[in-house]
Amino acid sequence: MNATTETLANQTLARPNFDVDKIRADFPILSREVYGKPLVFLDSAASAMKPRQVVDTIRDVYENDYSNVHRGIHYLSQRCTDRFEAARETVARFLKVKDSDNLIFTKGATEGLNLVAQCYARSTLKPGDEILISELEHHSNIVPWQMVAQATGAVIKAIPILDDGQIDLEAYLALLNERTKIVAITQVSNALGTVTPLAQMIPAAHAVGAKVVVDGCQATPHMALDLPAMDCDFFAFSGHKVYGPNGIGVLYGKPELLAAMPPYQGGGEMIDFVSITESTYKDAPHKFEAGTPPIVEAIALGTAIDYVTEIGLEAIAAHEHDLVEYAMDQLAQIPEVTLHGTAPGKASIVSFTWKGAHAHDVGTIIDRAGVAVRVGHHCAQPLMDRLGVASTARASFGMYNTRAEVDRLVRSLDDVRTIFA
Ligand code: C6P
């Protein structure tokens, strides 16, 4: 590291109301050591750590208010139902969705995307209809569409990317036609951090009559969202990436689409009336929430959202943007490193390979220095093919990371150089 970058590393960023030390104090796990070294956790894109407030909510519900929801007339059932539905309202405010009935609790983004594929696409697509998905997609936004295409005779087409990891907008616009029925697109690439140009993509899809399914998994922790302004038809995310528990996620759908969609799971609490041979269903969201839902997880997701909202998504985005820029600058100075994904305005993720070393070796070596990154294909094999690599090392930042931790990452790579020299 040269003198200039060292000075930069020690700068305290002028962000009123954003106190990274105070935030870190809420995440006890960040103070632990691994292999006798202080942990540097750079794997929040896989799953973010949980603040004490979220853990406290989980304990509080189980110790004080726990019961099944929507089923009981007794005090605790009503109390727990109120907290569960209050969490849905919190998610609605977070996404700026007016009516929380348009929000379905799922177990994560994967379930949300599969729900759209099975309940919406499967009953509406015809042979020859086209589904557009981008080369950036996570497998959760690829495989469900393949399953639907196989079942309906629809055809999947890829929206190409440019070499820096941006969507090739021109190619996308050229792909759209009257056969395009679904555009399924991530808002932020989990492997590269690219932010996709939804403001241009969504109106263009609507202009040919297609519905747009947004995978918001990597966006919700990093940027303020306004779904009505975005005008997507469906939007899915996972609670565990936005500092909430795992086992809970949310699917948003436009009301007219949810109303027309059949449920894909039957069971308790999604029905109005059941006889031995047939049933009628409740309205959304309940018709898509068969069985006992992840009650405590949903309530604690509400706490996680309150937590990030209090800090402010704009402040979080600015802090993480600084970390990404700083990390990209530092890593670009290392001759053995190739950065993958250099699109402007990237969110929170830096992917790289090391000349002559497999990403798994890089990850294993720096892990011994206490630095946790994800290595592999990041559940984005078509993207790896497009980049011409088998795998990358990925550092992903949360609001609790610091420039000093980026420096630890960079220093830990000296060990890779030593071993592979
Ligand atoms: N990506 C990562 O390390 P689930 O597993 O349902 O919570 O989320 C799936 C998913 C869908 N879309 C995107 C863009 C994602 O990043 C993920 C999860 C993690 O990148 C784990 S594979």
Side-chain angles (χ1 to χ4, degrees), residues 43-47 107-113 136-141 186-191 215-219 236-241 246 248 349 374 378-379 394 396:
D43 195 21
S44 295
S47 199
K107 75 179 164 64
T110 301
E111 187 185 3
L113 294 166
L136 292 172
E137 300 312 309
H138 184 280
H139 295 167
S140 293
N141 204 22
T186 193
Q187 191 172 3
V188 174
S189 154
N190 72 311
D215 176 354
C217 228
Q218 297 292 346
F237 75 94
S238 293
H240 67 99
K241 298 201 200 287
N246 47 27
I248 183 76
I349 285 164
R374 182 172 172 188
H378 314 297
C379 301
R394 179 190 72 179
S396 57

Side-chain angles (χ1 to χ4, degrees), residues 239-260:
H240 67 99
K241 298 201 200 287
V242 67
Y243 308 99
N246 47 27
I248 183 76
V250 175
L251 173 69
Y252 159 82
K254 282 188 175 164
E256 64 279 13
L257 298 175
L258 294 181

Side-chain angles (χ1 to χ4, degrees), residues 365-382:
I365 293 166
I366 68 177
D367 179 48
R368 291 287 160 161
V371 180
V373 297
R374 182 172 172 188
V375 293
H377 54 59
H378 314 297
C379 301
Q381 282 180 354

